[in-house]
Amino acid sequence: MLVNKVRELRARFNLTQGELANRVGVTRQTIVALEKGSYTPSLLLAMNIAEEFEMPIEEIFSKEEK
């Protein structure tokens, strides 16, 4: 399972879900699902999010250890 720090980073950067969605080219509902862990992003979306936060993908997304 993929886990992420999107909610934490979005709060740190003072962005709403809608603002982040607009910046990375998806709907607000996609960001909601991503933050809940019910949506696995495409590589392109993960790259766009990493670019938005100016961080490597690996610092935002990781595999959950079983």
Side-chain angles (χ1 to χ4, degrees):
M1 178 170 186
L2 192 68
V3 293
N4 69 75
K5 297 179 181 178
V6 173
R7 179 178 288 145
E8 172 190 324
L9 291 168
R10 186 176 55 73
R12 187 184 310 164
F13 283 77
N14 200 29
L15 294 171
T16 66
Q17 290 171 330
E19 289 169 336
L20 178 58
N22 286 336
R23 290 181 181 200
V24 298
V26 297
T27 66
R28 186 186 66 79
Q29 290 82 1
T30 300
I31 299 299
V32 170
L34 184 62
E35 289 182 355
K36 283 183 178 179
S38 61
Y39 178 78
T40 301
S42 66
L43 180 57
L44 180 59
L45 176 55
M47 291 174 79
N48 287 342
I49 291 170
E51 203 171 84
E52 185 63 36
F53 292 128
E54 298 180 350
M55 298 175 72
I57 289 175
E58 298 83 6
E59 288 186 27
I60 302 171
F61 298 94
S62 60
K63 281 182 16 180
E64 184 176 63
E65 298 299 322
K66 294 184 179 185

